Amino acid sequence: MQVTETLNSGLKREIKITVPAGDMEARLMARLNDARDKVRINGFRPGKVPVQHLRKMYGKSFMAEVVNEILNDSTRSIISGRGEKAAMQPEVIMTEDEKEAEKILAGGADFEFRLNYEVIPAIEIKDFSDIKVRRQVYDVPESEIDDQVKRVAESARSYEPKDGKAAEGDRVSIDYVGKIDGEAFAGGAGTDQPLVLGSKEFIPGFEDQLIGTKAGDEKQVTVTFPENYQAAHLAGKEATFDVTVKEVAKPGELEVNDETAKNLGLESLERLREIVRSQIESQFGSMTRQKVKRQLLDQLDAAYSFEAPSKLVEAEFNNIWAQVNRDLEAAGHTFADEETTEEEARAEYMRLAERRVRLGLVLAEIGEKAGVTVSDEELQRGLFEQVRRFPANQQQEAFEFYRSNPEAINSLRAPMFEEKVVDHLLGQISVDDVKVSKEELMADDEEAETATKAKPAKKAASKKAEAKASEAKTGEAKTGEAADEAEEPKKKAAPKKKAAKDAE
């Protein structure tokens, strides 16, 4: 086998491989001799079939297997033998001439093919001692725990039917049918729907118009869907809802005690408080980590400047761009609505893609040098956590999909690997803990956001796209600094959450 480098420009490589016809013939004969003792052909005793007869019958198919074997084995061995790492699966180029291909399969010509690929650049890991981050820490006060426990306890509050008009805080049971321009729309109807007035469960203006109604009343409610409503065909439109009030109930006393906790399926009020505290601290802890991670990635971005493989950047960009367009379509927006142009957005997102690829390669190299790995046990836990996000009736199907799809499993492994590398780095750099208020922790850092993300679009659709686009992985690590951004909660509409989903 002859291996000749025909291109070495930047990260691009092209290798020409020539396998002499004699070597191909030898491999073919080895297969034919092996098959001789196994095949059963009428008219011949086992093991006595002439090799030339076998060649006439199976020569081309066996030679095709030889070709595939050479392609599979040589691609990996040649690149690793050169001390290189391919950024993506190499492109294999073979002859498209049918006559030439027939000669190769017949053993009458050398087998030539080329490998086109980009290499992952050599990355020299720098000293981490100069990296400093400021970790904002928010100590959750007991009063905040108390407030959240009360909100949770609201779901266990009892209501008693009452005569008279509904007031704020009362619960009404309603039937409703939503219409736009006099026509009912999909997902806009409900029956026996409980609604606590003042809970802001429905879109703005809906609940207010039911205050003062009584059991048996029929009321037409007029509202306007929010401009950023998730169902684009309803966003910004005026709708009327024909509402029948079937019952009005007043709230009982809100009691927060062990009995309340038991009604929620917990053994005690203390256990309820523990769970609430854990959830709140986890939420703010995620915000803290996200800000620290952003600072860390910004400094790595400034410290490492090198050419990133164009194919990886292109793949990352395509992933981002597809999500941008899906979000724009879902919102019914154009680039003009987002105060940009398609050309400007492409340029910005290409820069974002290049940054993510470069940081992904840096994190992968740091992790490899540090011996960071994702164990099978950790991956299994991550798989179960991912599957639990699916509806109960889809979890088994989702589990089987991941277990049988290596690429899907890798999509779970990549962010886990990245987080472990970040943990490793946080143990190597200078971290200054600073106590802050909740408002300070939750405040948007415009300067940091500008540094880390493309900002061609200023409205919600683009922010959502940036967050989702971080799901694309690069090498073994992915740069998901936008993945953990909290999206602004949407008001439930049409007029309730279930109906909103149906209407999409």
Side-chain angles (χ1 to χ4, degrees), residues 98-171:
E98 292 185 9
K99 291 183 178 180
E100 185 67 21
E102 285 293 329
K103 285 183 181 180
I104 295 171
L105 293 177
D110 296 344
F111 174 41
E112 290 187 357
F113 63 98
R114 297 174 184 270
L115 297 179
N116 280 349
Y117 60 96
E118 287 183 293
V119 298
I120 293 177
I123 302 172
E124 182 180 350
I125 302 304
K126 301 179 181 180
D127 184 16
F128 303 131
S129 60
D130 291 337
I131 298 180
K132 298 179 181 179
V133 298
R134 181 173 176 266
R135 181 161 54 197
Q136 296 180 328
V137 180
Y138 171 58
D139 289 335
V140 182
E142 290 299 316
S143 60
E144 190 158 343
I145 307 295
D146 293 339
D147 291 342
Q148 184 60 29
V149 167
K150 289 179 181 177
R151 284 192 286 271
V152 172
E154 279 285 350
S155 62
R157 185 197 284 267
S158 62
Y159 286 84
E160 297 179 1
K162 82 169 191 178
D163 295 325
K165 298 179 179 180
E168 184 168 341
D170 287 346
R171 186 183 70 190

Side-chain angles (χ1 to χ4, degrees), residues 158-183:
S158 62
Y159 286 84
E160 297 179 1
K162 82 169 191 178
D163 295 325
K165 298 179 179 180
E168 184 168 341
D170 287 346
R171 186 183 70 190
V172 295
S173 177
I174 59 174
D175 294 344
Y176 60 86
V177 177
K179 299 177 182 178
I180 293 179
D181 296 331
E183 296 291 331

